[in-house]
Amino acid sequence: FERLVVPRDLGYDDILPRDQAEEKGPLTAGAQNLMALYDSLKMCKFALMAGVDLDTMATWTNQVTGWDLTPGEMLQIGERIHNLRRLYNLRLGISFADDTLPARILMQPRGEGSGGDLVPPLGRMIADYYVARGWAPDGRPTAEKLRALGLEAEGAEVGIGL
């Protein structure tokens, strides 16, 4: 696979080259939000490959629950879930220092295959990811982000003042 397939629900109309660092922060954040939604709905992620989009997920969820959620609200639920996971991990002592990959991936080209010579610029990619998430440079959700998601009390528990 030379290119990474991305769901149109995340605002991408085309696939991104694997070796392209730009736009991977917002893409990763969006994909994590979507996967958190799949997990919380107990849906098989292969449904994504079968063409199940957010409109369909919202329709199914609304029919089962009687709610009236839009696809955008569904993605925000996924974003809340991911931020809650981050707050939980922060409370357990996980920090930005843990947002890394093994040294062999960061420093050693593998020499074969489609990504054989690719060594990712992880520092820049993580910084872009934190910006896309609305997190501080140290990987902590900002007070503004938590307020926007209605998670103020949870942020206070890990020392994020409002």
Side-chain angles (χ1 to χ4, degrees):
F1 292 85
E2 289 295 321
R3 301 171 74 78
L4 176 67
V5 177
V6 295
R8 298 199 190 296
D9 289 330
L10 300 179
Y12 294 87
D13 292 329
D14 197 7
I15 49 182
L16 299 177
R18 289 180 63 191
D19 59 350
Q20 175 183 323
E22 296 78 25
E23 296 186 55
K24 292 287 173 72
L27 171 64
T28 300
Q32 288 172 329
N33 295 345
L34 185 60
M35 293 304 105
L37 193 57
Y38 268 88
D39 290 343
S40 69
L41 292 171
K42 303 300 181 205
M43 284 185 61
C44 175
K45 293 175 184 163
F46 284 122
L48 182 65
M49 298 303 178
V52 174
D53 60 8
L54 273 172
D55 286 326
T56 303
M57 289 173 66
T59 298
W60 291 345
T61 302
N62 292 335
Q63 288 175 343
V64 169
T65 63
W67 297 339
D68 190 26
L69 296 172
T70 66
E73 290 169 328
M74 298 280 288
L75 268 183
Q76 187 178 38
I77 290 169
E79 183 178 11
R80 285 174 48 89
I81 292 167
H82 192 80
N83 277 271
L84 282 168
R85 287 177 180 164
R86 184 62 171 201
L87 292 172
Y88 179 77
N89 285 333
L90 288 169
R91 191 166 60 189
L92 294 177
I94 302 295
S95 73
F96 71 94
D98 299 297
D99 291 336
T100 190
L101 295 170
R104 64 183 173 79
I105 292 175
L106 297 176
M107 299 183 299
Q108 180 181 22
R110 281 140 321 275
E112 56 186 73
S114 63
D117 295 330
L118 179 63
V119 177
L122 190 64
R124 181 171 47 121
M125 293 172 79
I126 287 175
D128 290 346
Y129 170 75
Y130 288 170
V131 168
R133 276 259 171 239
W135 293 354
D138 67 355
R140 297 167 64 85
T142 62
E144 295 78 21
K145 173 51 72 177
L146 296 179
R147 191 176 302 110
L149 295 172
L151 301 175
E152 301 94 337
E154 290 80 0
E157 287 185 27
V158 293
I160 298 174
L162 299 175

